[in-house]
């Protein structure tokens, strides 16, 4: 009798462990983190240089700039929209900031304020066209992408602008080029805003409204949520992140070029998709975005260490985006009970 009870207890314990394991694996962030750890283990076995502190520092410094943009993009995607112009906004914003300081002779502080107003304004134009004028997000933001690309080249005939060494910019560039703990200040800003974003999404009513808007706009509207205002607010947040990226990037480089930020939008969208942000909106987390960024940056770094042609990264980006969309569709079908 005791043996039977012991056996039943053992089965219950086994089932309990199995249920706990399945619940853990059902968390998308965990399901992304595990492949990342496996990938790191394999690559380290092939090339131990990967775990070298200098390489890890370079990896973190590299993804922090476009990681800032990914934070804003996460908010936009979660309400069911998309912005593929953020990389080009960085190009134009950085060039314009350098132009205001080096050519127009404006004080640095005033130039920074103007650039923040510029990037927020450009992002809000996108939001207004998408939300109020009902122009498709792809059409609107690809138009903005081309506008910003053109303006960044027209501004100085596609020539770079240098502010390094100019009077009044020494503290600014020294701050941007500093590498505390082998990292840089952009990385610390990035991590701080990741956790702020996670708190906002998970612990505030605004975050709940973002999830509701992205999940079903009509139902959210019937529940009394001003979905237009929520969507516009995400474009405002994205504009702030773009402005911050412009300011930090110019401080880090000391010069601005028309190719800054080119192609970042695809890396950002791919990284957020890997991290579990549904490209149709309504699900995901900022921690998922962080893991997705690290995974995507790790893959890019691995290609460099293995001396794979750098242009293959573009191919890989496309493949990752397709796979991420397929996984997202299958996950949503499973939640809806559709096994087709």
């Amino acid at each position: 009798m005791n043996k039977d009870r012991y056996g039943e207890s053992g089965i219950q314990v086994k089932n309990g462990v199995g249920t706990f394991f399945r619940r853990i694996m059902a968390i998308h962030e965990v399901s992304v983190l595990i492949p990342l750890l496996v990938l790191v283990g394999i690559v380290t076995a092939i090339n131990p240089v990967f775990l070298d502190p200098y390489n890890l520092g370079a990896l973190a410094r590299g993804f922090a700039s476009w990681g800032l943009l990914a934070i804003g993009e996460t908010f936009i995607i979660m309400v069911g929209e998309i912005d593929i112009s953020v990389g080009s906004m960085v190009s134009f914003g950085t060039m314009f900031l350098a132009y205001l300081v080096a050519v127009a002779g404006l004080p640095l502080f005033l130039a920074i304020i103007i650039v923040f107003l510029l990037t927020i304004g450009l992002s809000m134009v996108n939001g207004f066209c998408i939300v109020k004028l009902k122009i498709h997000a792809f059409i609107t933001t690809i138009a903005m992408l081309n506008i910003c690309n053109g303006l960044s080249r027209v501004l100085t005939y596609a020539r770079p602008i240098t502010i390094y060494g100019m009077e009044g910019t020494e503290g600014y560039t020294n701050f941007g080029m500093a590498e505390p703990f082998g990292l840089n200040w952009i990385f610390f800003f990035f991590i701080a805003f990741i956790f702020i974003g996670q708190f906002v999404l998970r612990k505030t009513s605004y975050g709940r409204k973002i999830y509701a808007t992205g999940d079903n706009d009509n139902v959210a509207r019937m529940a009394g949520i001003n979905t237009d205002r929520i969507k516009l607010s995400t474009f405002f947040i994205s504009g702030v992140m773009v402005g911050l990226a412009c300011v930090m990037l110019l401080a880090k480089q000391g010069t601005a070029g028309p190719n800054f930020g080119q192609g970042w939008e695809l890396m950002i969208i791919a990284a957020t998709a890997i991290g579990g942000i549904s490209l149709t909106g309504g699900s995901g987390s900022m921690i998922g975005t962080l893991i997705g960024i690290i995974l995507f940056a790790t893959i890019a770094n691995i290609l460099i260490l293995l001396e794979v042609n750098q242009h293959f990264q573009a191919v890989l980006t496309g493949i990752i985006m397709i796979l991420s969309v397929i996984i997202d569709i299958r996950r949503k079908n499973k939640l809806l009970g559709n096994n087709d």
Side-chain angles (χ1 to χ4, degrees), residues 46-117:
I46 297 173
N47 191 341
V49 174
F50 178 78
L51 288 183
D52 182 84
Y54 180 81
N55 182 63
L56 293 179
L59 176 66
R61 292 192 302 270
F63 70 65
S65 296
W66 57 270
L68 287 173
L69 305 185
I71 294 172
E73 189 73 28
T74 296
F75 281 101
I76 291 175
I77 292 176
M78 288 187 67
V79 294
E81 304 296 347
I82 198 166
D83 187 349
I84 61 174
S85 65
V86 288
S88 297
M89 283 188 199
V90 167
S91 175
F92 178 45
T94 308
M95 288 287 286
F96 192 61
L97 177 56
Y99 179 87
L100 291 177
V101 174
V103 181
L106 266 63
L108 178 62
F109 182 71
L110 178 58
I112 289 174
I113 292 175
I114 292 173
V115 166
F116 267 105
L117 293 175

Side-chain angles (χ1 to χ4, degrees), residues 17-174:
V17 172
T19 301
F20 175 77
F21 182 75
R22 285 193 296 272
R23 286 178 178 175
I24 291 295
M25 291 303 297
I27 301 173
H28 188 77
E29 291 84 352
V30 174
S31 67
V32 176
L33 183 61
I34 290 175
L36 173 60
L37 295 176
V38 171
L39 180 63
V40 168
I42 294 172
V43 174
T44 302
I46 297 173
N47 191 341
V49 174
F50 178 78
L51 288 183
D52 182 84
Y54 180 81
N55 182 63
L56 293 179
L59 176 66
R61 292 192 302 270
F63 70 65
S65 296
W66 57 270
L68 287 173
L69 305 185
I71 294 172
E73 189 73 28
T74 296
F75 281 101
I76 291 175
I77 292 176
M78 288 187 67
V79 294
E81 304 296 347
I82 198 166
D83 187 349
I84 61 174
S85 65
V86 288
S88 297
M89 283 188 199
V90 167
S91 175
F92 178 45
T94 308
M95 288 287 286
F96 192 61
L97 177 56
Y99 179 87
L100 291 177
V101 174
V103 181
L106 266 63
L108 178 62
F109 182 71
L110 178 58
I112 289 174
I113 292 175
I114 292 173
V115 166
F116 267 105
L117 293 175
L118 171 70
T119 58
I120 292 171
L122 292 173
S123 190
M124 291 303 290
V125 168
N126 279 343
F128 181 81
C129 290
I130 293 166
V131 176
K132 295 298 185 180
L133 301 183
K134 306 301 180 184
I135 302 174
H136 196 279
F138 179 79
I139 300 298
T140 299
T141 58
I142 201 170
M144 182 62 73
L145 179 150
N146 283 290
I147 290 170
C148 289
N149 277 343
L151 288 174
S152 65
R153 284 164 170 75
V154 168
L155 195 61
T156 59
Y157 302 98
R159 291 193 298 268
I161 308 174
T162 300
I163 68 164
Y164 183 72
M166 289 186 59
E167 184 179 354
T169 65
E170 297 90 345
Y172 172 61
T173 53
N174 288 339

Side-chain angles (χ1 to χ4, degrees), residues 76 119-120 123-124 231-241:
I76 291 175
T119 58
I120 292 171
S123 190
M124 291 303 290
K231 288 186 177 184
L232 286 171
S233 69
T234 64
F235 282 94
F236 178 87
I237 293 171
S238 180
V240 172
M241 290 294 103

Side-chain angles (χ1 to χ4, degrees), residues 71 75 192-202 286:
I71 294 172
F75 281 101
F193 279 106
I194 280 286
F195 286 101
I196 292 172
Q198 179 72 5
F199 176 81
V200 169
L201 288 174
R202 295 296 192 184
M286 203 61 70

